[in-house]
């Protein structure tokens, strides 16, 4: 059996909302130490990797490793029933059929609500994600990254990221014009959470679909900070840490630039 | 056709990939045989079939955002190639022709004479009916012929067949529906338009005979004792023979009066025609007696004979040419049969241009000469038969002719019985006897029908060569309008594709022609347009094919050596030496080479030296001690048994072919290739006009194509940036290695080549002499043994001889493995390689 209780439903809500447009089906792998999820979008361009460690939960019990396949749309419907402050208990009993029970409890009002969601058979093949030494790791406020992506999206459908020791530049260039956002590594900011930190082993210059980036930034609600790990010709990792006990990562395959421009 | 059997050796290094992986790649497309494919793939009334094929295939490429460069053949094709194609064709014809093949003819006579015991008879029959290319028979056995329009090849053989049949792009609608699929022949459907009166007469007679034939004998009508039975049978046959003679008479006057004998048409039939005609005579005779005999035997002794002599007919490419059909029917049947074959062919695909040309020629016959020539043939067939009979019986009166027929029929009766028992007793005899893998030349599966029309090929071959540039113009014009780059190679398209890759203008080559390897290609995509097959990628190592790639060490020079020895477009090759045999030869003589890029001259000299050494081996006197390796001796024996000294000399000193492979005529301009957005209204207009698409309703091809074109435009609009996919980075679950393994022989040869080219000596004899110096080398061998060869066997040709001092563990290990090796040798003799008779 599997049983896990979150102190507030809001967290799960935010997670589901930020990924449900990207992936439709979510095979949750529940083990003794964590609840995790890995899924690619239908075009195999982006990958969502979620890890919720035991520390995030008020209670957590998982007798053996199980795989719970859920439709994210259905999960989102279930979670809509909950207030953000409600506690959320996930329960799965092997001998009780193929459903998961979400129990939302409002401690102030002594109210509980049980929502049962049918599970799905999801063919989940775990992808091996190779270890990668990234040439550039940049941390910045999540909101800042979100705004940048939004701004560039109005000009272009691809986002160019260039990073050198001097700074990281986000460029969106399109027919109507262009938008270039430059961050120099900030050493003078007092507020730690507002700082943009940049580690550069090698300069990079990569292009990504901005549409996907905008999808990812929906997770901004989850975390104050975002970390971008970049390398030339390799998928970028956009990582939102979750309360130091987990993360939501997005992998996005780059766009290959053609060396000569078309007429 | 490329290098005979080479794909089979290279194939295990391939991975199958989804087309999505190719997004944004620039690929050179070898279109050298598309024109021929197009003519076969579409019905003959299709205007601009080549353009239609191009549009469909282009759509497929653009849909997946592949940047194609189309490479056309040019005029400067080496003379060597034409020679080789010509001689191959000639050879094929002779081999399959019973009557020009003295051995087969002899057997046939033996059969006719009777008096063979059971075993001998079955053997003789088999020898006669089995064409030199055994696949045909194989097919026939697998798939009883008459009604089948789709002779599937046995799966093992399919490895060799390149399926070019793909016509559709992304949409998988079957184009077969466009091709007329023939219904089994109808016996009575004379063309009344031409000569009504005689026609009717013939028809009546035929009907009469048919009635006779079909009237089932009641058991009480059949005499009980054997003697009167045979008399009874004789009577029936004679009766029918007279009927036949009448029909024949009428038919003859028919055709002559209709002017079918006008001189040019006879010329078209040509001198070779005679042999085919003779063959028809045989099948005809046999066929004629067959249904009835069959029926009688059915009712009397035998279970239903399903096989019978239909086998013969298919063998010879003829349909049931029994005499109850009038010339017109025959024509129709042949046409049907040809069409059927064409469909088979298109489904099965082509490996060679020559094969395609022949098939096209056949198709054209149907269109142009159809009526007359085939009547002609029918006519001449009859005349021939008479002549033949005259040859055997000096004076032949009509009655005697019938007698003669009866004699023949008794032979065929024996055949019939034999066939039945063959079928009954050994239902899987085809597997035992005719192993498809032995066949290194796959495109000859329809060698038989080729006979039918060989005469025309010469005409049409030239004709096609003249027409090709014109057809190319159409395609090139379209591509220019579509903004897709194309190149007309000065010489061969394959070579130009490889050159583009070398120049860095493209990322890979799309070709199904194994010649690209001899031209030094690095990345090949095969089966790009094949239906129901995934694209095979060569030249890139992934987790899926890592093991195979590690072992694989062949380089351009090896491919060329194999081409020279086994046969390729520029060189005929040795008899009974396939790619695997050639690989073994190469493994014996290959030299050390440096990893760094070497000049072409160095490579050329090395190939020539290798060939020279091989030649020395073959031509050395039997007791010469220089080549003491057991393997080498066996190779030598095999080669010298099958090949004339002169041929060996020619093959092993074929400098021209080596030169042609190493210095192909190519255009080495490195001008950047450009892709423009498509002007969709313009393209739509052009295609509507040319392909005669219906104006109102959108043709499905049109829809598919323009979907793809629009997608392509969006892709280019976005700056031609291509979105990569994660599959490329993370566990590539979409890639898969082919479930293919090399045979032991190939593994052995590859290992040997791998070591030799790195300068590791393998010959024990030499090792013994070299003593000390070898210690390092032995260590090297040891190192290598740890890796791929641990479970496989050693390449060292061994006799378990001691290896001198100072070998340590390495030596012990090697001698152990040589034991294993000897076992393997005996196993190998039963393996399926083309070279397998070599151990016998």
């Amino acid at each position: 059996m599997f049983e896990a209780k979150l102190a507030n439903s809001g967290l799960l809500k935010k997670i589901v909302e930020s990924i449900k447009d990207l992936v439709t089906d979510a095979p949750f792998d529940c083990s003794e130490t964590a609840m995790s999820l890995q899924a690619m979008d239908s075009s195999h361009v982006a990958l969502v990797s979620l890890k919720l460690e035991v520390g995030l939960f008020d209670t957590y019990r998982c007798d053996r490793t199980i795989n719970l396949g859920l439709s994210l749309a259905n999960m989102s419907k279930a979670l809509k029933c909950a207030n953000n402050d409600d506690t959320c208990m996930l329960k799965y009993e092997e001998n009780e059929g193929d459903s998961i029970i979400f129990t939302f409890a409002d401690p102030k009002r002594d109210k509980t609500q049980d929502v049962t969601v049918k599970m799905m058979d999801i063919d989940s093949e775990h992808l091996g994600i190779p270890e990668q030494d990234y040439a550039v790791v940049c941390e910045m406020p999540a909101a800042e990254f979100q705004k940048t992506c939004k701004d560039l999206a109005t000009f272009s459908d691809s986002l160019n990221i260039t990073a050198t020791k001097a700074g990281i530049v986000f460029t969106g260039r399109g027919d109507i014009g262009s938008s270039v956002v430059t961050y120099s590594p900030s050493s003078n900011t007092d507020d730690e959470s507002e700082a943009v930190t940049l580690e550069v082993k090698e300069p990079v210059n990569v292009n990504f679909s901005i549409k996907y980036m905008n999808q990812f930034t929906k997770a901004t609600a989850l975390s104050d900070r975002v970390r971008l790990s970049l390398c030339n010709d390799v998928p970028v990792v956009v990582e939102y840490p979750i309360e130091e006990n987990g993360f939501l990562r997005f992998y996005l395959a780059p766009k290959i630039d053609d060396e000569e421009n078309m007429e | 056709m490329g290098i005979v059997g080479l794909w089979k050796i290279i194939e295990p290094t391939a991975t199958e990939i989804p087309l999505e992986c190719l997004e944004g790649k620039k690929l050179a497309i070898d279109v050298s045989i598309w024109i021929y494919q197009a003519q076969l793939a579409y019905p003959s009334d299709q205007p601009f079939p080549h353009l239609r094929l191009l549009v469909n295939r282009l759509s497929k490429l653009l849909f997946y955002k592949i940047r194609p460069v189309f490479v056309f053949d040019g005029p400067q094709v080496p003379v060597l190639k034409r020679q080789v194609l010509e001689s191959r064709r000639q050879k094929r014809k002779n081999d399959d022709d019973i009557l020009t093949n003295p051995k087969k003819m002899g057997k046939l006579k033996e059969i006719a004479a009777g008096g063979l015991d059971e075993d001998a008879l079955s053997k003789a029959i088999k020898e006669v009916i089995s064409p030199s290319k055994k696949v045909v028979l194989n097919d026939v056995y697998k798939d009883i012929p008459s009604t089948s329009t789709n002779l599937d090849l046995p799966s093992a053989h399919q490895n060799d067949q390149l399926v070019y049949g793909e016509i559709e792009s992304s949409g998988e609608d079957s184009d077969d529906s466009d091709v007329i699929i023939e219904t089994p022949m109808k016996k009575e459907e004379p063309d009344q338009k031409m000569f009504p009166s005689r026609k009717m007469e013939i028809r009546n007679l035929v009907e009469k005979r048919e009635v006779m034939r079909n009237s089932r004998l009641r058991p009480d009508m059949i005499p009980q004792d054997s003697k009167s039975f045979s008399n009874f049978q004789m009577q029936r046959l004679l009766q029918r023979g007279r009927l036949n003679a009448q029909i024949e008479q009428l038919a003859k006057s028919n055709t002559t009066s209709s002017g079918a004998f006008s001189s040019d048409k006879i010329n078209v039939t040509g001198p070779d025609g005679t042999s085919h005609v003779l063959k028809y005579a045989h099948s005809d005779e046999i066929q004629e007696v067959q249904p009835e005999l069959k029926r009688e035997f059915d009712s009397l002794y035998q279970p239903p004979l399903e096989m019978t002599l239909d086998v013969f007919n298919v063998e010879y490419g003829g349909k049931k040419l029994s005499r109850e059909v009038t010339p017109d029917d025959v024509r129709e049947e042949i046409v049907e049969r040809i069409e059927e074959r064409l469909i088979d062919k298109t489904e099965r695909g082509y490996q060679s241009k020559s094969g395609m040309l022949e098939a096209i020629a056949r198709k054209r016959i149907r269109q142009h000469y159809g009526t007359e020539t085939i009547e002609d043939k029918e006519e001449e067939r009859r005349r021939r038969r008479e002549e033949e009979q005259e040859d055997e019986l000096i004076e032949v009166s009509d009655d005697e002719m019938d007698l003669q027929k009866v004699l023949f029929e008794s032979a065929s009766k024996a055949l019939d019985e034999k066939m039945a028992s063959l079928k009954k007793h050994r239902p899987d005899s085809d597997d035992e006897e005719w192993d498809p893998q032995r066949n290194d030349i796959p495109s000859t599966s329809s060698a038989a029908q080729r006979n039918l029309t060989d005469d025309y090929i010469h005409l049409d071959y030239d004709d096609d060569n003249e027409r090709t540039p014109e057809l190319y113009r159409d395609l090139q014009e379209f591509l220019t309008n579509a903004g897709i780059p194309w190149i007309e190679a000065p010489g061969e398209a394959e070579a130009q594709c490889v050159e583009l890759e070398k120049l860095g203008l493209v990322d890979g080559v799309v070709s199904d022609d194994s010649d690209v390897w001899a031209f030094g290609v690095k990345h090949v995509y095969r089966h790009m347009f094949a239906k129901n097959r995934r694209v095979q990628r060569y030249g890139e190592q992934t987790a899926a094919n890592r093991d195979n790639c590690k072992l694989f060490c062949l380089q351009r020079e090896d491919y060329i050596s194999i081409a020279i020895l086994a046969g390729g477009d520029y060189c005929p090759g040795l008899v009974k030496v396939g790619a695997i045999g050639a690989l073994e030869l190469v493994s014996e003589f290959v030299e050390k080479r440096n990893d760094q890029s070497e000049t072409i001259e160095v490579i050329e000299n090395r190939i020539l030296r290798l060939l020279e050494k091989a030649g020395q081996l073959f031509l050395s006197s039997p007791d010469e001690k220089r080549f003491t390796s057991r393997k080498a001796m066996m190779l030598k024996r095999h080669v010298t048994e099958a090949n004339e000294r002169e041929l060996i000399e020619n093959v092993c000193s074929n400098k021209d072919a080596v030169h042609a492979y190493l210095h192909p005529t190519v255009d080495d301009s490195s001008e950047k290739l450009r892709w423009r957005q498509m002007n969709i209204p313009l393209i739509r207009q052009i295609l509507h006009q040319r392909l005669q698409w219906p104006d109102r309703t959108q043709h499905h091809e049109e829809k598919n194509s323009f979907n793809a074109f629009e997608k392509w435009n969006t892709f280019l609009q976005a700056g031609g940036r291509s979105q990569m996919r994660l599959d490329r980075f993370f566990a590539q679950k979409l890639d898969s290695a082919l479930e293919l393994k090399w045979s032991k022989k190939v593994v052995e040869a590859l290992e040997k080549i791998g070591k030799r080219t790195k300068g590791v000596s393998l010959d024990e004899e030499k090792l013994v002499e070299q003593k000390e110096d070898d210690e390092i080398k032995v260590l090297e061998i040891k190192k290598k043994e740890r890796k791929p060869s641990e479970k496989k066997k050693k390449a060292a040709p061994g006799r378990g001889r001691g290896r001198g001092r100072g070998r340590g563990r390495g030596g012990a290990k090697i001698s152990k493995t040589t034991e294993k090796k000897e076992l393997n040798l005996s196993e190998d003799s039963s393996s399926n390689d083309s070279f397998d008779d070599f151990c016998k």
Side-chain angles (χ1 to χ4, degrees), chain B residues 142-340:
Chain B
K142 286 262 191 250
D143 201 336
I144 307 296
S146 55
T147 57
S148 162
T149 55
N150 187 6
L151 295 175
D152 272 309
L153 291 167
S155 60
H157 186 70
Q158 257 164 9
N159 287 344
D160 272 358
Q161 292 284 345
L162 308 187
V163 183
Y164 277 110
E166 160 89 341
I167 306 146
E168 282 304 293
S169 52
S170 44
E172 283 297 72
D173 318 51
S174 151
D175 256 277
D176 305 339
S177 58
D178 293 340
V179 185
I180 311 138
I181 292 177
E182 294 304 321
T183 49
M185 68 148 183
K186 295 184 192 91
K187 287 201 170 174
E188 292 284 323
E189 215 184 80
D191 184 358
Q192 295 277 2
K193 268 177 266 170
M194 291 187 66
F195 352 91
S197 63
R198 283 217 185 83
K199 203 85 233 175
M200 284 307 289
E201 244 176 294
I202 294 175
R203 196 174 171 186
N204 287 339
L205 287 169
V206 166
E207 260 165 18
K208 203 165 148 196
R209 188 179 53 184
E210 198 61 7
V211 167
M212 241 175 86
R213 180 171 282 185
N214 287 340
S215 58
R216 217 184 166 81
L217 292 170
R218 290 189 306 278
D220 57 332
M221 285 166 72
I222 299 166
Q224 286 305 310
D225 76 287
S226 60
K227 196 160 183 189
S228 49
F229 171 73
S230 65
N231 279 336
F232 168 78
Q233 208 181 354
M234 192 86 89
Q235 283 305 318
R236 279 172 59 89
L237 288 170
L238 287 172
Q239 205 182 343
R240 210 143 33 91
R242 275 192 287 274
L243 212 50
N244 283 338
Q246 266 179 313
I247 296 171
E248 210 171 285
Q249 200 74 37
L250 281 166
K252 198 186 282 179
S253 46
N254 229 349
T255 40
T256 34
S257 66
S258 73
F261 265 120
S262 69
S263 59
D264 61 317
K265 278 151 202 156
I266 288 175
N267 283 346
V268 167
T269 311
D272 294 331
T274 54
S275 56
H276 307 307
V277 169
L278 272 171
K279 251 187 337 192
Y280 281 85
H282 281 287
S283 56
D284 188 20
E285 296 280 350
I286 290 158
Q287 179 61 42
E288 200 225 330
V289 72
Q290 177 259 326
E292 185 183 48
L293 277 175
K294 184 175 132 190
R295 237 170 270 127
E296 283 163 7
F297 277 109
D298 283 357
S299 55
L300 290 172
Y301 320 109
Q302 300 269 357
L305 308 177
E306 293 186 337
M307 287 279 290
T308 66
L309 292 162
D310 286 9
V311 171
F312 274 56
N313 290 313
V314 172
E315 221 63 91
Y316 303 141
K319 188 98 178 187
K320 291 187 177 174
L321 291 176
S322 40
R323 250 179 288 167
E324 73 262 33
V325 285
T326 58
D328 280 5
D329 292 332
V330 171
R331 192 199 70 225
E332 273 169 26
E333 276 163 28
I334 292 176
V335 167
E336 277 175 16
R337 170 52 58 136
I338 288 170
E339 270 171 354
E340 252 170 51

Side-chain angles (χ1 to χ4, degrees), chain B residues 393-451:
Chain B
L393 289 184
I394 313 292
E395 278 179 26
V396 196
S397 74
D398 273 357
D399 281 349
E400 275 167 339
M401 260 175 73
D402 284 334
L403 253 177
Q404 174 67 16
K405 239 176 257 165
V406 172
L407 281 178
F408 245 101
E409 280 160 3
S410 67
S412 41
K413 189 168 96 184
L415 271 173
D416 204 349
E417 275 178 296
K418 216 56 232 170
M419 292 306 299
S421 64
L422 270 180
K423 170 101 195 293
K424 221 166 48 185
H425 295 139
R426 302 207 288 162
D428 55 347
S429 61
D430 47 345
D431 292 336
E432 298 164 23
E433 299 293 329
W434 299 292
D435 189 323
Q437 282 197 16
R438 290 180 46 150
N439 196 334
D440 262 337
I441 307 169
S443 71
T444 52
S445 54
S446 52
Q449 337 134 7
R450 211 166 269 144
N451 283 336

Side-chain angles (χ1 to χ4, degrees), chain A residues 192-227:
Chain A
E192 189 99 326
S193 66
E194 284 300 311
V196 175
T197 63
L198 191 60
E199 282 171 47
V200 180
K201 284 183 205 152
E202 265 174 63
V204 294
N205 182 353
V206 266
N207 293 293
F208 299 101
S209 154
I210 207 152
K211 189 182 87 195
Y212 280 98
M213 282 292 185
N214 275 330
Q215 296 264 9
F216 301 165
T217 56
K218 286 183 185 164
T220 303
L222 277 174
S223 166
D224 292 339
R225 305 281 290 175
V226 63
R227 178 160 67 207

Side-chain angles (χ1 to χ4, degrees), chain B residues 55-72:
Chain B
V55 169
N56 283 325
R57 290 186 171 174
L58 177 67
S59 310
K60 180 175 186 168
L61 294 168
L62 298 188
F63 183 86
Y64 290 103
K65 299 179 200 161
I66 294 165
R67 296 156 179 268
V69 189
F70 290 86
V71 182
F72 294 87

Side-chain angles (χ1 to χ4, degrees), chain B residues 620-631:
Chain B
S620 62
S621 64
D623 356 286
E624 199 167 327
K625 283 275 179 276
R626 199 139 53 100
F627 304 101
T628 36
S629 131
R630 168 185 281 208
K631 190 98 195 168

Side-chain angles (χ1 to χ4, degrees), chain A residues 76-245:
Chain A
S76 159
K77 280 177 192 152
L79 288 165
K80 286 235 166 74
C81 302
N83 295 314
N84 281 352
D85 295 335
D86 288 356
T87 62
C88 170
M89 166 88 91
L90 295 169
K91 206 150 112 193
Y92 168 74
E93 202 78 68
E94 261 133 62
N95 44 16
E96 277 178 20
D98 53 353
S99 314
I100 288 183
I101 304 168
F102 291 82
T103 306
F104 306 117
D106 184 348
K108 286 175 227 147
R109 276 186 268 175
D110 292 331
K111 168 194 159 190
T112 61
Q113 180 173 6
D114 280 2
V115 181
T116 311
V117 176
K118 274 249 182 335
M119 294 211 301
M120 318 173 45
D121 223 4
I122 297 172
D123 175 32
S124 73
E125 207 173 315
H126 215 78
L127 280 175
I129 299 173
E131 289 288 313
Q132 174 83 45
D133 274 337
Y134 289 96
V136 171
V137 178
C138 170
E139 280 189 30
M140 65 165 78
E144 193 56 44
F145 180 62
Q146 186 179 32
K147 180 174 183 304
T148 303
C149 290
K150 217 187 209 160
D151 289 351
L152 301 192
T154 54
F155 292 92
S156 170
D157 59 2
S158 52
L159 160 72
N160 174 271
I161 305 180
T162 326
T164 58
K165 289 220 156 66
I168 184 163
V169 183
F170 298 85
T171 314
R173 193 162 272 127
D175 296 338
I176 55 161
S178 64
S179 164
V180 181
V181 183
T182 309
Y183 295 97
S184 305
S186 44
S187 47
N188 51 353
T189 18
D190 303 331
D191 192 350
E192 189 99 326
S193 66
E194 284 300 311
V196 175
T197 63
L198 191 60
E199 282 171 47
V200 180
K201 284 183 205 152
E202 265 174 63
V204 294
N205 182 353
V206 266
N207 293 293
F208 299 101
S209 154
I210 207 152
K211 189 182 87 195
Y212 280 98
M213 282 292 185
N214 275 330
Q215 296 264 9
F216 301 165
T217 56
K218 286 183 185 164
T220 303
L222 277 174
S223 166
D224 292 339
R225 305 281 290 175
V226 63
R227 178 160 67 207
L228 310 176
S229 308
L230 298 151
C231 220
N232 279 331
D233 297 330
V234 155
V236 63
V237 189
V238 180
E239 175 176 339
Y240 294 89
I242 303 173
E243 297 171 18
E244 292 177 6
N245 274 316

